[in-house]
Amino acid sequence: MNFFTIEKLQKQLVEIRQAVYREILPIPQFKFCEADPAGAAFPRYDDSDWTDFRVGDYWGGYDVVAWFRAWLTIPEAWRDGKVYLRFLVGPRDGGDSTAETLVYVNGEPLQGIDIWHEEAWLPPEVVQRGQVHLALRAWSGVLGVPDRRRFRLAQLALIDEPTERFFYLADTLIRAVVELAEGDLRRLHLMNSLNRAFLKLDWTRPGSPTFYQSVAEAERHLRADMERLYEVAEIKPHVVGIGHAHIDMAWLWRLGHSREKASRTFATALHLMRQYPEYRFMHSSPQLYEYLKHDYPCLFDRVKERIQAGQWEITGGMWIEADTNLTSGESLVRQFLHGTRYIKREFGVDSTLLWLPDVFGYSYALPQIARKSGMQYFLTSKLSWSQFNRFPYDTFHWRGLDGTELLTHFVTTPEQGSRIYTYNGQFTPKDVRGIWENYRQKDVNNELLLLYGWGDGGGGPTKEMLESARVLQNLPGLPSVAQATAETYFARLAERLADKPLPTWDGELYLEFHRGTYTSQAASKRANRKSEILYHDAEWASALSDILLRQADYPLAELDEGWKLILLNQFHDILPGSSIRQVYEDSLRDYARVAALGQRALTDAYDRLANAIQSTTPSLVVLNSLSWPRDGLVSLPLSREFEGKTVLLDSDRPALTQVIEEGGEQRLLVEARGLPALGYRALPLTSQTGAVSSNSRRHDYQPDPSRKPLLPPRTQCPRSNRLAVGQARPPRSPGAG
């Protein structure tokens, strides 16, 4: 027998790859519009005034959306075959990124097209109709974009299915051979099978019917060999694959771009699920699903169907994958509250897995908050990025501040060409072998979770990854492989480890990297903290008002809208400070909306409270939104309307007061003492002669200017002192209306 070297097999495989396309028809021309008109995806849309665009021409620029539309005719002879669309809408062209495109067929979103997904399968019902309307919504990008992008390729291709199957089978086996040692008997078995198959190929007339018949015979022979090898019993670890597409809500692109990235990524995942029934895909972040429901309701409905069928997994717990270091404890609770409620309401699913693969370290308080929010497990891979020390464990109990423990597992898939681990696995033999070699606790656990699919900017798994997973199911010398959901994996992991010794890490999970992010973009960080304080106060005051007044005026919709914006801007590339400038311009606009909603709710609640509190004398109402009793200073606008009035702390003890100038405005400082936790106190207003005012207005009064100063000259009073003021009104006389 003649033996091929691996290099010769790889060279022949290149020609096999080209032979997958049995016939090719170019799509030479489109109608073109460099804008984003509504309805452009639908066949009946009138594009008569659009420009004629020939494939090979240029389009785009920085952050440009363009539409390309065309009618296609599927040849009669192709209509029982497998047909692909092939596109190169905007390759790198000297830039640092490529165009991203959503393909519509007959008005329905089919799949995303990007650097990793250049082909789209046409379903049989579309092919058999013969006439196909094609619409492409292309985005030029914002990262290192060239002046113009070139639309290089648009084709319709008839696929030779045995050749396609042979290519993916042989390609994965060759990659597996490379991973096995030279003297490994299993490597020899795989090489023998490959040699026997490749010797059956008839290269005398490539592309001829005889050639394709020989490829089909080689595919049958090689697959039969693999089926026999799959049956060989072998002690080996097991790898569970879950498709994944990490989408940064904002990073090197803006939030609006991520909304579209989600639509393309989700459309691709749905399309691949139809072709690969065993495929399981997971995505966190209910915020993206809410966007999808608004922007692409047809895709949202299809996602919902796949979740119900068990192919699509939504978990993660949080509203978005949030930073946990700068975010307050209350905000972390709200991340879980909004996240788990949405998942339950929209999909009927209870989430038990905290999913934060890319966050820059994890707070000591997180285990307690996560467990009380229904989480039982935690997954990440980020600590492998640490600059100096490798974290000592990959599977362990993480103990939080109060002693609560959370079963934690680190993904150990190797990043190609790097020492770190990745959540963007490729599902290659190298990944499957490397994830096990990297794992530290082989003595207690022999099943690992591999996240695969292109991420950060979305994209997700490819058909190449799914074909590789099929071949890898039980190859000699490598871990066995199957696809399942992450929640299922963790439930099995917990059961497997129930009676085994597992280490415990007590403390925060500190990342020795990205340190500078926590001191950058101070305006955004300040706005986040002010928003958290404002919404605490607004919620407290609104609830207190409803309880005391026995009303139902709580502004739930407005506060929920504000909270979702706060939570969104706590994303792990926004709040820490690692995104591009435009992200923070958008963020500050969001915070302005947050402040407007929160301040209106707070002011309305304070007004209701002040107007409802009755006193025998006109009084200054001071509210304390903190959860402990306190004394403090109240800063008020100065008014001459109540000149000569004095604020009393007790019946015979006046409060200390002082007039100051601040920001060009005269203000009055008033001493407030004995304020109850989360409550209020009414301080009577009296005249120096003992007279009592018969009426008052909020904030409008002036005390005796001879009182002792509270602050040295030119000293500014802290503005965020968490004290609020209002005016109590005397009781109405009987019959007053």
Side-chain angles (χ1 to χ4, degrees):
M1 179 187 293
N2 293 321
F3 284 91
F4 293 106
T5 64
I6 290 177
E7 290 77 13
K8 286 183 178 180
L9 293 176
Q10 289 169 333
K11 287 180 180 179
Q12 288 195 25
L13 206 58
V14 173
E15 298 184 54
I16 294 291
R17 181 71 180 92
Q18 295 303 313
V20 168
Y21 307 111
R22 191 74 180 253
E23 295 182 55
I24 292 176
L25 290 177
I27 305 172
Q29 188 167 311
F30 292 85
K31 298 295 285 186
F32 168 70
C33 175
E34 207 163 81
D36 196 14
F42 299 109
R44 292 184 180 180
Y45 180 86
D46 182 8
D47 60 10
S48 58
D49 61 343
W50 287 17
T51 305
D52 291 330
F53 183 95
R54 296 197 62 82
V55 174
D57 288 348
Y58 291 84
W59 68 282
Y62 180 85
D63 197 12
V64 172
V65 172
W67 282 86
F68 302 86
R69 290 166 46 92
W71 281 96
L72 310 178
T73 300
I74 309 292
E76 186 75 35
W78 290 21
R79 294 184 187 176
D80 290 327
K82 188 175 186 179
V83 179
Y84 284 169
L85 294 165
R86 301 180 67 204
F87 297 107
L88 294 175
V89 180
R92 290 195 185 277
D93 293 323
D96 297 326
S97 63
T98 62
E100 299 175 28
T101 303
L102 183 59
V103 177
Y104 292 82
V105 169
N106 298 331
E108 295 293 330
L110 181 75
Q111 183 192 300
I113 295 291
D114 51 45
I115 190 173
W116 306 292
H117 306 83
E118 296 175 346
E119 300 175 342
W121 168 68
L122 282 178
E125 66 273 15
V126 173
V127 173
Q128 289 164 9
R129 288 178 59 180
Q131 290 292 316
V132 178
H133 183 265
L134 187 65
L136 281 66
R137 185 185 186 275
W139 174 59
S140 65
V142 294
L143 177 61
V145 180
D147 291 338
R148 302 289 280 172
R149 291 200 182 277
R150 189 179 182 194
F151 195 143
R152 291 183 181 271
L153 180 75
Q155 294 177 338
L156 201 60
L158 178 65
I159 302 302
D160 188 80
E161 295 186 65
T163 304
E164 184 181 45
R165 290 195 300 268
F166 180 72
F167 169 77
Y168 287 120
L169 177 58
D171 179 61
T172 304
L173 292 177
I174 291 171
R175 292 172 186 265
V177 167
V178 171
E179 292 303 311
L180 298 177
E182 288 279 353
D184 194 320
L185 182 61
R186 296 164 298 191
R187 173 186 170 119
L188 180 60
H189 276 290
L190 293 178
M191 279 299 295
N192 284 340
S193 295
L194 285 164
N195 270 285
R196 286 193 295 267
F198 272 75
L199 286 171
K200 293 183 179 297
L201 299 177
D202 185 349
W203 291 102
T204 57
R205 293 181 61 195
S208 67
T210 303
F211 168 78
Y212 281 107
Q213 289 172 8
S214 74
V215 176
E217 183 182 354
E219 191 268 334
R220 286 192 297 270
H221 183 89
L222 186 56
R223 192 165 299 279
D225 265 10
M226 290 305 101
E227 293 295 339
R228 286 191 290 271
L229 285 177
Y230 289 156
E231 297 299 321
V232 176
E234 187 176 347
I235 298 175
K236 57 171 61 181
H238 185 62
V239 171
V240 173
I242 178 73
H244 178 234
H246 185 68
I247 301 177
D248 286 318
M249 300 298 299
W251 179 36
L252 303 177
W253 44 83
R254 299 164 78 173
L255 177 61
H257 302 140
S258 293
R259 294 178 75 146
E260 295 298 329
K261 284 176 179 289
S263 68
R264 292 187 290 267
T265 299
F266 288 5
T268 300
L270 290 166
H271 197 48
L272 287 171
M273 282 178 180
R274 183 169 175 186
Q275 301 165 68
Y276 299 89
E278 74 277 15
Y279 175 32
R280 299 293 180 268
F281 178 78
M282 178 273 168
H283 204 281
S284 64
S285 305
Q287 174 71 84
L288 284 178
Y289 292 87
E290 187 170 83
Y291 286 152
L292 189 74
K293 185 176 183 179
H294 178 270
D295 300 341
Y296 296 88
C298 60
L299 285 178
F300 181 83
D301 289 343
R302 290 167 58 192
V303 167
K304 202 166 186 175
E305 290 173 4
R306 294 295 182 176
I307 290 174
Q308 297 305 317
Q311 276 189 279
W312 188 301
E313 181 179 29
I314 178 169
T315 188
M318 288 186 167
W319 183 245
I320 47 93
E321 294 179 15
D323 172 79
T324 73
N325 289 319
L326 295 167
T327 307
S328 72
E330 180 61 31
S331 287
L332 290 174
V333 170
R334 298 306 176 105
Q335 290 284 354
F336 287 111
L337 178 68
H338 283 275
T340 56
R341 279 185 177 176
Y342 184 91
I343 293 170
K344 183 68 172 180
R345 182 179 69 249
E346 291 289 348
F347 307 111
V349 174
D350 293 310
S351 178
T352 64
L353 171 60
L354 174 55
W355 181 281
L356 297 175
D358 193 33
V359 173
F360 309 164
Y362 305 93
S363 165
Y364 196 15
L366 195 55
Q368 176 187 12
I369 294 172
R371 285 302 295 265
K372 287 182 176 294
S373 301
M375 303 300 107
Q376 300 178 37
Y377 319 113
F378 172 48
L379 174 142
T380 186
S381 63
K382 193 66 176 185
L383 259 64
S384 68
W385 288 50
S386 284
Q387 191 170 1
F388 301 108
N389 300 289
R390 178 177 172 180
F391 195 80
Y393 315 120
D394 295 321
T395 304
F396 57 98
H397 292 298
W398 179 23
R399 182 177 295 155
L401 194 61
D402 71 331
T404 299
E405 294 185 356
L406 197 61
L407 178 59
T408 300
H409 180 72
F410 290 173
V411 174
T412 58
T413 311
E415 176 83 73
Q416 294 183 15
S418 173
R419 64 175 178 80
I420 66 174
Y421 304 150
T422 184
Y423 47 79
N424 295 327
Q426 307 296 295
F427 225 147
T428 62
K430 188 177 187 68
D431 284 356
V432 170
R433 179 170 174 261
I435 193 174
W436 177 248
E437 288 186 345
N438 290 336
Y439 186 62
R440 288 196 167 190
Q441 281 145 294
K442 300 179 178 70
D443 57 329
V444 295
N445 177 40
N446 64 353
E447 184 178 81
L448 304 179
L449 184 64
L450 191 153
L451 317 184
Y452 68 95
W454 293 103
D456 294 332
T462 65
K463 67 178 184 180
E464 288 80 8
M465 297 175 192
L466 291 162
E467 291 285 353
S468 178
R470 282 182 168 178
V471 178
L472 285 169
Q473 57 183 294
N474 197 25
L475 278 186
L478 296 175
S480 59
V481 164
Q483 301 211 47
T485 63
E487 292 262 5
T488 301
Y489 168 81
F490 272 92
R492 287 203 305 266
L493 179 66
E495 184 178 351
R496 215 166 30 249
L497 297 175
D499 58 350
K500 295 180 180 178
L502 203 63
T504 297
W505 181 266
D506 192 331
E508 71 169 316
L509 298 178
Y510 177 73
L511 177 67
E512 299 169 354
F513 207 62
H514 296 326
R515 295 179 184 85
T517 60
Y518 285 102
T519 56
S520 66
Q521 301 298 339
S524 181
K525 292 173 170 58
R526 180 174 184 268
N528 170 73
R529 191 68 188 116
K530 288 175 72 69
S531 298
E532 290 175 329
I533 293 170
L534 172 62
Y535 274 64
H536 168 277
D537 292 357
E539 289 184 331
W540 161 73
S542 298
L544 183 64
S545 170
D546 274 9
I547 292 169
L548 295 183
L549 303 182
R550 298 183 180 180
Q551 295 176 347
D553 294 326
Y554 190 89
L556 179 62
E558 293 80 3
L559 291 174
D560 268 1
E561 179 187 344
W563 261 117
K564 286 180 180 179
L565 285 174
I566 295 171
L567 301 180
L568 171 61
N569 283 280
Q570 290 169 346
F571 181 74
H572 63 260
D573 275 312
I574 300 178
L575 182 56
S578 52
S579 293
I580 58 175
R581 169 183 54 83
Q582 295 93 326
V583 170
Y584 295 100
E585 293 170 353
D586 295 342
S587 177
L588 291 177
R589 281 192 288 271
D590 284 346
Y591 282 125
R593 174 65 176 165
V594 167
L597 289 168
Q599 193 60 54
R600 183 164 64 237
L602 181 63
T603 301
D604 289 349
Y606 281 165
D607 283 343
R608 289 196 303 273
L609 284 168
N611 290 331
I613 295 171
Q614 297 187 2
S615 174
T616 56
T617 62
S619 299
L620 173 66
V621 178
V622 184
L623 300 103
N624 173 24
S625 63
L626 297 178
S627 56
W628 57 87
R630 64 172 297 193
D631 303 332
L633 300 180
V634 178
S635 175
L636 305 167
L638 187 62
S639 168
R640 302 186 66 85
E641 184 174 349
F642 293 98
E643 184 174 357
K645 295 294 187 298
T646 298
V647 180
L648 296 180
L649 290 176
D650 298 309
S651 58
D652 58 351
R653 185 159 66 100
L656 299 178
T657 60
Q658 181 180 352
V659 176
I660 63 170
E661 186 168 321
E662 189 171 290
E665 176 191 19
Q666 281 197 319
R667 297 188 68 84
L668 173 70
L669 296 184
V670 179
E671 174 190 26
R673 291 184 176 276
L675 303 173
L678 296 173
Y680 67 90
R681 186 178 176 198
L683 305 179
L685 285 172
T686 67
S687 66
Q688 288 179 301
T689 60
V692 177
S693 171
S694 61
N695 197 8
S696 63
R697 278 202 325 228
R698 191 168 185 242
H699 290 187
D700 293 343
Y701 52 86
Q702 179 172 338
D704 182 353
S706 66
R707 306 307 308 173
K708 180 180 177 181
L710 297 173
L711 293 176
R714 294 183 298 278
T715 301
Q716 185 173 358
C717 178
R719 300 304 300 271
S720 57
N721 56 12
R722 306 294 294 278
L723 294 175
V725 294
Q727 289 283 330
R729 59 181 175 83
R732 288 185 289 185
S733 60

